[in-house]
Amino acid sequence: MIFLRNRWALATLLILCWAIAASLLLGYYYYQYTDILSKLEGSKAVINLGIDYGNGTRIWFNGTRGLTLYDAMLEAGWKVDAESYGTMGLYVKAINGVEQSIEQSRYWTWWIWTGREWAHGGSACDKYVLSSGETILWYYSYADPKTFEITPPS
């Protein structure tokens, strides 16, 4: 009961208990985090990833691994300049030094092969979760400034 009379001793005891509990929780969540990371590493999708610069140059990076399309781009060694729009995702402004051109109405868009034709990706590259076997192409597209219609890759 001496601890109850001395407020400083009681405060020190409470802080010590809090520090021990916080350390145990930190260790637990760190373990959980590293465990899930190792599990996700093994579940990366293997895709065929390509880039078309719009000038006749098309390069393929077959067997690229990633959880999202953005992960696969980085895994392929691409230099990506993107702007984050929060929960909407990343907007890609440049790939490997080739920047969008507002004056020429040229923008980076990604397309997925359906088996018959290219279909526009329709979401931010960091929000699209890959499935193994997909074929995805980044295309330096022309967008009509009046209708905003995007020219698909050929």
Side-chain angles (χ1 to χ4, degrees):
M1 292 308 209
I2 265 186
F3 286 114
L4 296 177
R5 288 188 214 154
N6 188 341
R7 289 186 180 167
W8 288 110
L10 182 60
T12 303
L13 183 62
L14 288 174
I15 290 172
L16 180 62
C17 289
W18 173 82
I20 291 171
S23 297
L24 289 172
L25 278 173
L26 178 68
Y28 172 77
Y29 284 115
Y30 178 75
Y31 172 76
Q32 294 296 321
Y33 173 75
T34 55
D35 185 50
I36 199 164
L37 275 183
S38 66
K39 288 177 182 175
L40 286 175
E41 188 68 30
S43 65
K44 286 185 176 179
V46 179
I47 65 163
N48 300 315
L49 181 63
I51 186 167
D52 188 323
Y53 292 96
N55 60 3
T57 305
R58 186 177 284 185
I59 303 169
W60 287 101
F61 298 82
N62 296 332
T64 304
R65 298 175 59 89
L67 293 173
T68 67
L69 179 52
Y70 183 68
D71 292 337
M73 295 164 69
L74 297 179
E75 183 78 20
W78 295 4
K79 292 183 176 90
V80 181
D81 179 17
E83 187 173 341
S84 176
Y85 284 88
T87 57
M88 291 174 50
L90 293 175
Y91 172 71
V92 175
K93 298 190 303 185
I95 300 176
N96 295 336
V98 179
E99 296 182 5
Q100 68 182 4
S101 173
I102 296 170
E103 297 81 22
Q104 297 176 2
S105 296
R106 306 276 297 199
Y107 304 92
W108 284 107
T109 56
W110 67 272
W111 300 76
I112 188 164
W113 182 250
T114 64
R116 287 185 285 149
E117 63 185 0
W118 291 107
H120 188 266
S123 70
C125 62
D126 63 323
K127 300 296 180 185
Y128 184 74
V129 177
L130 299 171
S131 297
S132 286
E134 289 181 318
T135 300
I136 296 176
L137 178 71
W138 275 93
Y139 181 57
Y140 195 52
S141 306
Y142 173 77
D144 188 313
K146 294 178 184 171
T147 63
F148 300 107
E149 187 174 325
I150 301 170
T151 305
S154 52

